Amino acid sequence: MNKVIAALDNSLATSPVLATASALAELFGAEVEPVHVRTDGARVARSVAEAAGLRLRELRGPIVESLCRTADDPEVVALVLGARGTPVAKRPLGSTAVAVATDIDKPLAVVPPDAQVAPSLRRVLVPIEAASRSLTPRTIVQIARGTGIDIVALHVIDETTVPAFTDQPQHENETRTREFLRRYCPWGIDNVQLEIRVGHVHQLVAPVADETNVDLIALGWSQQIGAGRARVVQTTLEQAHVPVLLLPVEIAKTSTGAAGGHVLATV
Amino acid sequence: MTTRVAPRRATRPLPAPLARRFEALLFDWDGTAVLDRQADGSEVRELVDELCAYGFVLGIVTGTHLGNVDGQLAARPPGPGRLYLCMNRGSEVFVADEAGVHLRYRREATPAEDAGLDAAAEATVAALGARGLRAEIVSQRLNRRKIDLIPEPEWSDPPKARIAELLQAVQERLRAAGLVSLQEAVQIGYDAAVAAGLPDPRVSSDAKHVEIGLTDKSDSARWLLEELARLGIGPGLVAVAGDEFGPLGGLPGSDSLLLVGEADRATAFSVGAEPTGTPAGVIPLGGGPARFADVLRDQLERRHRGDPPDIEDDPAWTLMVDGVDAHLERVHESLLAIADGHIGTRATPLFAHTAADPSVFVGNRYVGEGSETELARAPLWNTLPGRPATPAGVRRRLDLRSGLLRHDGPAEALQLSSLARPGTVAMRVLAKRRRLPESNRRVLEHDGVTTALFDRSEAGRLERIGAVARSESEALSALAAAGDAGFERLLAEHRGRWAARWAEADIVVEGDAELQRALRFTLFHLMASVPESGEAAVGARGLSGHGYRGHVFWDTDVFVLPFFAATHPESARAMLEYRLRRLTAAREAAARLGYAGARFPWESAASGVDVTPSHAHLPGGGIARIRTGEAEEHIVADVAWAADTYLGWTGDRAFEQGPFRTLLTETARYWASRVRLDHEGRAHILGVIGPDEYHEPVDDNAFTNVMARWNLRRAAAIGGSETERAQWLRVADALVDGYDEMSGLYEQFAGFFELEPLVIADIAPRRPIAADVLLGHERTAQAQVLKQADVLMLHQLVPDEVAPRSFLSNLDFYEPRTAHGSSLSPAVHASLLARAGRFREALAALRIAARMDLDDLTSSSSAGVHLATMGGLWQALAFGFAGVRPRGDVLVVDPRLPREWSALELRLRFRGNPLRLRIERTGVSIDAPPALALRKLDEHWEVVLT
């Protein structure tokens, strides 16, 4: 049986982590396994698990290694852990979460301590860029399609990608939306609602998530975090009020151009 | 495919370059098709007859006269192919058909030329005689004289087999006379001809004779290639055959004259012995007439079994897509779409692909209601059942010259949507490793449109003929007619029709090959998108995609119609007929608003009622109310302007006295009732939207007011009661236009100059740019940023209606403030910048317009090509660079040729007369019937009616 690992510590995020794991388990058709890496007692973790009718598995050893080793299990389809910090003082990923996120090659959900987690996922926000070498998390879109979950695809136009022409928006926008989804999100075109915003994507993911009332933000990422990298991931994790699912994405090696590039070869 | 008896196969396989289907063959007679003049020509005749029945075109090129060839061949072939007999060394062309042999062309020598030929021949004989070589003038054929270099009984009529011996004997005689070679004898003949006053003599030798003439085989070849071009057959589809391509006695072989420059892409082969070899590019097939017959049999076999024809592979005329790119497939299908004015078929891969967006659009036919009204779609005819092909192995090519779409890959296919029989389609498929549908006939229906299809399937080949119509009976009737004609005749008709359309409308830009290709792409889609009879509802994306739902905008009247008015007026008339048939709806619309006359809708479809959607989702989020349907009223004057443009090019008096008068009257009535007079008696038009849609609604939009004024004045010149005319003129004179004499500027609308003076050219990272997205809707509306030409459109459309010498000041002011956020804008600016002589900027704008769809610059070419941009591009060339404009009974030509171009050529039609206008650095010339003449004035030229 597939498993979603809920990494419970003794923080404010413990309950939302377990709730998120339950929701993801429903999405992935898996069961929840709460785990705790014993460092400073397991009372909060144990009581939250017991309240959910689950048995807590206690792990020993270095936290990161323990969690990564657990995630390595072929039956594990996702890992959920809490973002460190309190609702008042937000910080991006703590060092543990960073280490785990960059090491495992499976979906990792990071849950803010103030997240109001719905028992079932109804709507997921997925940022999409207009590039063939895209980090769009295809898997979540495909899974969502099979389970009837609504996808809100967010595309952000910045100064470099402002379109050249507006023409008649009452016709043009419908066409562009349809074509955009066919190019960059073709796997879920029937249940995807495209939201287009102007600005900088890293600043807009969390606000649009709030605006569109989603239950989860799904971000594809290359697992490279450092100066100037993964800005969307870091800012979203700082600002989001819902769980953020990080999906490792292998960048496609295609060389076809983005929209607007040279289309046609003549003889 | 056919029920004819299968032809005998070729005796041996042919080399690869010949193992393909050709559409025409030019060939020498004596030694190539037959051994000699005594040989039996019956086998060749049979092959010729059969090939012509399959649509093949043959051209015999020979030095002898008709009697010799026709006496042997005696072919009277049926169509749709043709047999041309080019006789007398380039001086005559006959056509043979079932009714007999008919003269098509004869080069008539003038008396001076005849005398010159005589003198040249005599001088040559004399010159040779002076050297001790006895020569004789042996014949005075049409346009040539033949001098026998070896007038001895033994060599009176030598067979081709003794050519080497003959050559040796002649050379011995020449040497004995102190002549080095046969070349020297030919040179003597040439010098004599020039001295006799012949400016371009054709002097050659067949070893025995020196022949001095006015024409030669190269003239035949050129004539034939031109004729083939008129039939829509390019040189890439032509084979050239002879037996004497290689040099003979140091002189070029006689058949080498067939290899004219125009035949560069033809495939040449020799069946002769060619003792000295063949020139580069000529396939040495050998085998004489028997092998030539093999080539004919091979061509027959390919047609008999139904191979899909190939297309011309000319880079200047071909668009090609390799593979199926999931991102760009929908764009490619738009770009390579084929249409015939009535239906348009997207260039979907033969076998279904998830990235494809297959559709067949039916012009003038709508489904749905209100703003959801959209073009009807017919059932698909161009796809086959089966799993998708591996994308990497698929290639699609569109031949723009003949409107043929060719597929290559796991299946080969040729598709056409007949321009000669709009609504009739045909396809031939050769499937290498695929199962094809069985033969069948079926009738399909979708959106109230019927498609009748007939498939004939055999041995891995499919031939499909179809007809799309509004009813089953119409479709079946058209299908029956098409079936009777057969695929080859449908193909020949279609090619010929496209060739005729190109002859009317082609543009040549010498000096910019990339622009040339883009122009051909543009003209193709324009011509394919509009019918030439009835009424033509021309949507923003034509028949190539679902974009804009097929709704008709000012795009059609202002941007597309002028091209047709100037090249194919029947189509322009059909576009006007669409508007005329919706005058009732336009009158009702005006009445509903409390106005008189006719008010055409911003977006029009089936009924003429406005179908503009009321809202749109904005790129930056949110929903915006769309007001263009309520307030973009310049469309009323635009329709009137389109009608006047048609009249200017055609001089159609019946139209002028009837529908034109009605149209102008009704639109003038509208404006007269629409204006509001202030206390000073000035007339205003309040609450409108001009072409610049960033600002809405506005008062006294200059474009709207000046076009309304033009409309009123034009109507007063032609229609209305006396009272009305007086009123119209009063209103026209009273209309404010925003012009300030001091600055020379037109204020785009009341209060424009008080807006934030942003110059988008200075602040935007690039142009074109959607400034409303970059800056936000509100900021843009409060700034002097334009979406597209507004005031400047007046200088493009009604240059005589604006203040004299106001052009440059307004260009300098408004151009930098234009974001070009409309795909209509770059072409207009290209035109205006060309008029101003600002070529660097003009060419930059022109290239954007030219690449609009090819580079998917709007990110929406997936939904169809931008027909108005295409029309605008034509206008930029015609009005902007060529400076062509009708003015009364005269066509003014006031060109602006950039130094990058060595010449610009346009095909036009003025007052029913076709003309080819050529503009070069040195001046202007026309090629036109006697009804037109060109005269030069101080600053420009005029084409006048004689």
Side-chain angles (χ1 to χ4, degrees):
Chain A
M1 181 67 177
N2 288 337
K3 290 187 282 193
V4 173
I5 301 297
L8 307 182
D9 57 14
N10 294 315
S11 74
L12 288 168
T14 298
S15 290
V17 164
L18 189 58
T20 300
S22 297
L24 283 178
E26 188 184 333
L27 181 68
F28 291 134
E31 61 184 21
V32 179
E33 182 178 16
V35 304
H36 173 71
V37 182
R38 196 174 176 86
T39 53
D40 55 355
R43 188 164 54 183
V44 174
R46 193 178 301 116
S47 62
V48 166
E50 282 173 2
L54 298 168
R55 186 174 170 154
L56 183 72
R57 176 154 71 101
E58 295 189 33
L59 308 174
R60 295 191 182 272
I63 297 175
V64 172
E65 283 87 342
S66 299
L67 290 176
C68 290
R69 198 167 47 244
T70 302
D72 275 345
D73 182 344
E75 289 182 342
V76 172
V77 295
L79 184 64
V80 184
L81 50 76
R84 295 297 268 174
T86 65
V88 173
K90 284 190 182 292
R91 283 183 293 153
L93 284 180
S95 60
T96 301
V98 169
V100 172
T102 53
D103 191 61
I104 66 172
D105 61 357
K106 292 181 183 175
L108 170 68
V110 180
V111 185
D114 61 342
Q116 298 292 319
V117 182
S120 293
L121 297 174
R122 298 163 296 113
R123 184 175 290 177
V124 177
L125 178 75
V126 176
I128 295 183
E129 51 194 303
S132 57
R133 293 165 64 86
S134 170
L135 296 174
T136 300
R138 173 177 180 166
T139 49
I140 192 68
V141 179
Q142 288 176 312
I143 291 171
R145 184 181 186 180
T147 56
I149 291 176
D150 292 335
I151 296 287
V152 177
L154 171 65
H155 175 55
V156 178
I157 299 171
D158 63 26
E159 197 176 77
T160 63
T161 56
V162 171
F165 304 99
T166 309
D167 278 330
Q168 301 286 300
Q170 66 272 26
H171 294 281
E172 205 70 38
N173 294 350
E174 182 189 332
T175 294
R176 287 188 188 151
T177 296
R178 184 168 150 168
E179 182 60 21
F180 182 91
L181 290 174
R182 284 199 75 164
R183 289 187 190 187
Y184 306 114
C185 193
W187 337 281
I189 195 167
D190 295 332
N191 62 322
V192 176
Q193 166 196 330
L194 183 65
E195 292 288 329
I196 301 178
R197 296 288 186 274
V198 181
H200 298 283
V201 58
H202 68 279
Q203 293 174 338
L204 286 169
V205 173
V208 173
D210 290 342
E211 190 187 311
T212 54
N213 201 27
V214 300
D215 303 313
L216 179 78
I217 298 169
L219 300 178
W221 78 314
S222 61
Q223 295 184 287
Q224 293 177 38
I225 199 159
R229 290 188 172 271
R231 206 168 163 197
V232 174
V233 167
Q234 294 187 66
T235 309
T236 302
L237 289 172
E238 271 179 37
Q239 298 176 351
H241 296 114
V242 294
V244 180
L245 182 66
L246 301 179
L247 295 125
V249 173
E250 191 179 319
I251 298 171
K253 290 186 173 58
T254 178
S255 61
T256 42
H262 185 75
V263 173
L264 197 64
T266 53
V267 172
Chain B
M1 279 171 268
T2 181
T3 54
R4 294 189 183 90
V5 174
R8 266 190 304 133
R9 292 178 180 276
T11 53
R12 279 174 289 144
L14 294 170
L18 291 176
R20 53 167 278 221
R21 173 173 159 146
F22 292 97
E23 302 303 312
L25 173 64
L26 274 59
F27 61 100
D28 167 64
W29 180 249
D30 198 5
T32 302
V34 292
L35 198 59
D36 53 41
R37 290 183 194 168
Q38 286 72 47
D40 178 11
S42 57
E43 188 183 11
V44 177
R45 178 172 59 248
E46 269 178 42
L47 289 167
V48 164
D49 280 352
E50 286 256 43
L51 282 166
C52 285
Y54 274 117
F56 201 63
V57 179
L58 298 119
I60 299 173
V61 180
T62 179
T64 190
H65 58 83
L66 179 68
N68 278 343
V69 174
D70 194 48
Q72 266 183 302
L73 179 61
R76 300 292 182 263
R82 300 184 192 200
L83 172 63
Y84 295 94
L85 304 163
C86 300
M87 306 284 106
N88 277 312
R89 263 185 41 143
S91 283
E92 284 180 321
V93 180
F94 296 86
V95 175
D97 59 27
E98 289 174 302
V101 178
H102 321 280
L103 178 68
R104 271 290 298 272
Y105 165 78
R106 177 177 286 142
R107 167 73 158 89
E108 300 279 4
T110 63
E113 286 172 327
D114 258 333
L117 287 170
D118 286 337
E122 286 159 13
T124 303
V125 167
L128 292 171
R131 301 231 196 171
L133 177 73
R134 185 175 68 87
E136 290 178 8
I137 299 170
V138 292
S139 71
Q140 294 182 315
R141 296 281 168 80
L142 179 65
N143 300 331
R144 67 187 193 276
R145 306 293 181 265
K146 233 170 163 174
I147 299 146
D148 192 346
L149 297 174
I150 186 165
E152 292 170 7
E154 185 195 350
W155 296 106
S156 61
D157 188 16
K160 285 221 171 182
R162 293 186 69 195
I163 187 69
E165 277 183 68
L166 170 64
L167 185 59
Q168 190 177 0
V170 168
Q171 285 172 332
E172 279 171 13
R173 272 174 69 84
L174 293 172
R175 278 197 292 273
L179 291 158
V180 173
S181 65
L182 202 46
Q183 277 171 301
E184 201 175 336
V186 169
Q187 187 64 45
I188 289 172
Y190 182 86
D191 292 342
V194 171
L198 298 174
D200 183 24
R202 311 299 177 84
V203 184
S204 61
S205 174
D206 60 0
K208 179 170 167 59
H209 306 94
V210 168
E211 208 154 0
I212 301 171
L214 301 179
T215 58
D216 62 25
K217 280 181 164 183
S218 67
D219 295 286
S220 298
R222 285 197 182 88
W223 193 97
L224 281 169
L225 290 164
E226 248 183 65
E227 177 73 358
L228 289 172
R230 272 193 290 277
L231 296 173
I233 298 171
L237 300 173
V238 176
V240 178
D243 69 317
E244 288 178 351
F245 285 96
L248 187 70
L251 294 168
S254 65
D255 294 330
S256 69
L257 292 171
L258 298 176
L259 304 177
V260 293
E262 295 89 321
D264 261 352
R265 287 195 318 284
T267 303
F269 66 97
S270 175
V271 297
E274 303 281 8
T276 55
T278 52
V282 177
I283 301 164
L285 190 64
R291 202 70 172 116
F292 176 77
D294 276 350
V295 173
L296 297 185
R297 280 190 209 99
D298 180 78
Q299 290 300 306
L300 198 54
E301 168 66 17
R302 291 175 189 281
R303 279 159 174 77
H304 177 76
R305 68 187 182 211
D307 285 2
D310 203 351
I311 62 167
E312 181 85 27
D313 234 358
D314 184 348
W317 290 89
T318 308
L319 246 59
M320 179 178 75
V321 171
D322 270 327
V324 179
D325 181 325
H327 276 194
L328 298 172
E329 172 58 22
R330 273 91 44 210
V331 175
H332 293 164
E333 291 176 6
S334 299
L335 301 182
L336 273 64
I338 53 175
D340 58 27
H342 284 250
I343 63 168
T345 303
R346 290 173 59 81
T348 320
L350 270 181
F351 301 97
H353 194 282
T354 52
D357 189 12
S359 283
V360 177
F361 295 99
V362 182
N364 277 13
R365 184 91 177 178
Y366 293 93
V367 293
E369 307 220 339
S371 61
E372 303 294 302
T373 308
E374 60 180 13
L375 273 182
R377 299 181 203 213
L380 299 177
W381 63 272
N382 58 318
T383 56
L384 297 170
R387 70 186 185 287
T390 306
V394 170
R395 170 176 282 187
R396 282 164 287 177
R397 288 176 292 149
L398 173 64
D399 178 4
L400 300 167
R401 181 157 38 196
S402 60
L404 296 169
L405 181 65
R406 169 91 189 183
H407 298 251
D408 289 284
E412 292 173 22
L414 186 83
Q415 296 173 330
L416 68 91
S417 189
S418 175
L419 199 65
R421 301 177 188 228
T424 294
V425 296
M427 172 166 78
R428 267 218 186 138
V429 183
L430 168 63
K432 297 168 190 171
R433 288 178 295 279
R434 287 269 180 165
R435 199 180 164 83
L436 294 173
E438 302 286 321
S439 297
N440 72 95
R441 185 190 299 264
R442 59 195 187 286
V443 175
L444 308 167
E445 195 268 344
H446 187 265
D447 280 351
V449 179
T450 302
T451 297
L453 297 175
F454 178 46
D455 286 356
R456 210 164 5 194
S457 183
E458 188 183 325
R461 287 172 175 79
L462 175 84
E463 182 179 284
R464 172 174 291 173
I465 295 179
V468 180
R470 294 176 183 230
S471 70
E472 185 171 334
S473 58
E474 247 183 85
L476 288 172
S477 173
L479 179 63
D484 286 346
F487 182 90
E488 297 292 350
R489 186 176 289 277
L490 293 177
L491 176 63
E493 288 174 351
H494 174 78
R495 274 197 171 121
R497 196 78 197 100
W498 267 108
R501 291 298 298 270
W502 279 109
E504 291 178 338
D506 196 14
I507 294 181
V508 176
V509 174
E510 291 180 13
D512 194 334
E514 192 185 323
L515 175 63
Q516 180 68 72
R517 263 196 302 274
L519 278 172
R520 295 245 162 85
F521 165 77
T522 286
L523 296 175
F524 170 79
H525 278 286
L526 282 168
M527 290 191 281
S529 301
V530 183
E532 49 190 14
S533 62
E535 58 168 351
V538 181
R541 303 300 179 90
L543 300 170
S544 64
H546 62 83
Y548 288 60
R549 300 176 179 273
H551 293 183
V552 181
F553 296 71
W554 76 315
D555 303 29
T556 300
D557 311 275
V558 168
F559 290 84
V560 176
L561 184 139
F563 164 72
F564 290 102
T567 62
H568 198 70
E570 308 91 297
S571 291
R573 183 65 183 84
M575 294 168 76
L576 291 168
E577 189 63 24
Y578 168 79
R579 292 294 192 189
L580 289 163
R581 292 187 188 181
R582 283 152 189 82
L583 255 181
T584 301
R587 288 187 189 106
E588 289 168 359
R592 269 196 299 277
L593 293 169
Y595 300 123
R599 185 189 193 273
F600 288 101
W602 179 242
E603 291 188 37
S604 181
S607 64
V609 165
D610 184 69
V611 291
T612 311
S614 57
H615 291 83
H617 285 94
L618 296 176
I623 295 178
R625 187 173 147 213
I626 298 298
R627 292 189 161 116
T628 47
E630 301 161 20
E632 198 148 356
E633 300 179 43
H634 62 78
I635 179 74
V636 176
D638 301 335
V639 173
W641 179 88
D644 190 56
T645 296
Y646 164 80
L647 198 57
W649 282 95
T650 63
D652 182 346
R653 293 298 154 228
F655 178 77
E656 185 178 24
Q657 298 306 318
F660 180 68
R661 180 171 284 170
T662 305
L663 197 55
L664 271 283
T665 300
E666 294 293 339
T667 49
R669 284 175 181 157
Y670 178 77
W671 292 120
S673 67
R674 179 66 173 82
V675 304
R676 289 290 170 267
L677 297 176
D678 64 23
H679 60 279
E680 292 175 10
R682 290 176 305 184
H684 306 270
I685 303 177
L686 308 177
V688 296
I689 301 175
D692 166 32
E693 292 158 345
Y694 287 162
H695 301 92
E696 53 166 46
V698 299
D699 297 333
D700 287 329
N701 167 247
F703 179 79
T704 304
N705 285 24
V706 173
M707 288 296 286
R709 183 173 70 197
W710 169 85
N711 196 162
L712 288 160
R713 287 174 176 165
R714 191 70 181 91
I718 192 165
S721 66
E722 197 177 318
T723 313
E724 277 186 310
R725 290 198 295 274
Q727 183 207 14
W728 295 342
L729 289 172
R730 272 199 310 276
V731 170
D733 289 344
L735 260 171
V736 301
D737 61 8
Y739 181 65
D740 173 52
E741 267 192 47
M742 290 292 294
S743 63
L745 293 177
Y746 283 87
E747 188 175 30
Q748 184 175 297
F749 55 80
F752 181 87
F753 291 144
E754 276 88 61
L755 298 177
E756 183 184 1
L758 282 184
V759 179
I760 193 76
D762 296 339
I763 59 172
R766 52 182 154 79
R767 286 193 298 163
I769 197 157
D772 52 339
V773 177
L774 179 72
L775 305 175
H777 229 63
E778 228 173 279
R779 182 88 190 275
T780 307
Q782 290 162 5
Q784 292 177 5
V785 178
L786 278 61
K787 185 177 182 181
Q788 64 189 68
D790 194 298
V791 165
L792 290 177
M793 271 307 277
L794 294 171
H795 296 270
Q796 172 80 344
L797 300 189
V798 289
D800 296 337
E801 191 65 27
V802 291
R805 294 174 297 280
S806 65
F807 172 49
L808 289 178
S809 48
N810 284 279
L811 183 66
D812 288 339
F813 183 83
Y814 283 107
E815 199 290 322
R817 287 165 170 76
T818 308
H820 301 291
S822 162
S823 57
L824 303 178
S825 193
V828 174
H829 279 258
S831 183
L832 294 168
L833 289 161
R835 297 313 303 151
R838 298 180 191 175
F839 294 125
R840 189 181 54 82
E841 298 159 271
L843 291 175
L846 195 72
R847 287 195 184 99
I848 292 171
R851 305 296 305 182
M852 191 69 68
D853 288 304
L854 291 168
D855 291 343
D856 192 25
L857 297 179
T858 66
S859 299
S860 63
S861 294
S862 55
V865 297
H866 292 69
L867 225 53
T869 300
M870 293 174 165
L873 184 61
W874 179 86
Q875 289 187 47
L877 272 294
F879 301 160
F881 290 89
V884 170
R885 205 175 277 273
R887 187 168 283 155
D889 286 338
V890 157
L891 189 65
V892 173
V893 183
D894 185 14
R896 303 280 188 273
L897 198 68
R899 108 182 108 74
E900 289 87 342
W901 301 351
S902 53
L904 171 63
E905 222 174 79
L906 285 90
R907 306 282 178 121
L908 302 166
R909 181 173 289 269
F910 182 60
R911 299 302 168 95
N913 300 291
L915 73 135
R916 184 168 59 92
L917 174 72
R918 184 170 173 87
I919 299 161
E920 295 170 304
R921 305 235 150 270
T922 49
V924 172
S925 60
I926 65 170
D927 182 7
L932 297 178
L934 181 71
R935 68 182 179 206
K936 171 117 180 31
L937 279 70
D938 287 337
E939 302 277 319
H940 62 273
W941 285 260
E942 289 181 347
V943 176
V944 298
L945 296 163
T946 58

Short mmCIF file of all heavy atoms in Angstrom, two decimals, chain A residues 62 138 262:
data_model
loop_
_atom_site.label_atom_id
_atom_site.label_comp_id
_atom_site.label_asym_id
_atom_site.label_seq_id
_atom_site.Cartn_x
_atom_site.Cartn_y
_atom_site.Cartn_z
N PRO A 62 19.90 11.01 13.05
CA PRO A 62 19.85 12.40 12.56
C PRO A 62 18.55 12.63 11.80
O PRO A 62 18.10 11.74 11.06
CB PRO A 62 21.06 12.49 11.63
CG PRO A 62 21.96 11.36 12.03
CD PRO A 62 21.08 10.30 12.56
N ARG A 138 3.64 18.33 -14.08
CA ARG A 138 2.66 17.59 -14.89
C ARG A 138 1.90 16.56 -14.07
O ARG A 138 0.70 16.37 -14.25
CB ARG A 138 3.42 16.92 -16.01
CG ARG A 138 2.61 15.99 -16.84
CD ARG A 138 3.43 15.45 -17.96
NE ARG A 138 2.66 14.53 -18.78
CZ ARG A 138 3.05 14.11 -19.97
NH1 ARG A 138 4.19 14.53 -20.46
NH2 ARG A 138 2.32 13.27 -20.64
N HIS A 262 10.50 31.59 -33.81
CA HIS A 262 10.39 31.28 -35.23
C HIS A 262 9.64 29.98 -35.43
O HIS A 262 9.94 28.96 -34.83
CB HIS A 262 11.79 31.19 -35.83
CG HIS A 262 11.73 31.00 -37.30
ND1 HIS A 262 11.41 32.02 -38.17
CD2 HIS A 262 11.90 29.90 -38.05
CE1 HIS A 262 11.41 31.55 -39.39
NE2 HIS A 262 11.72 30.27 -39.37
#
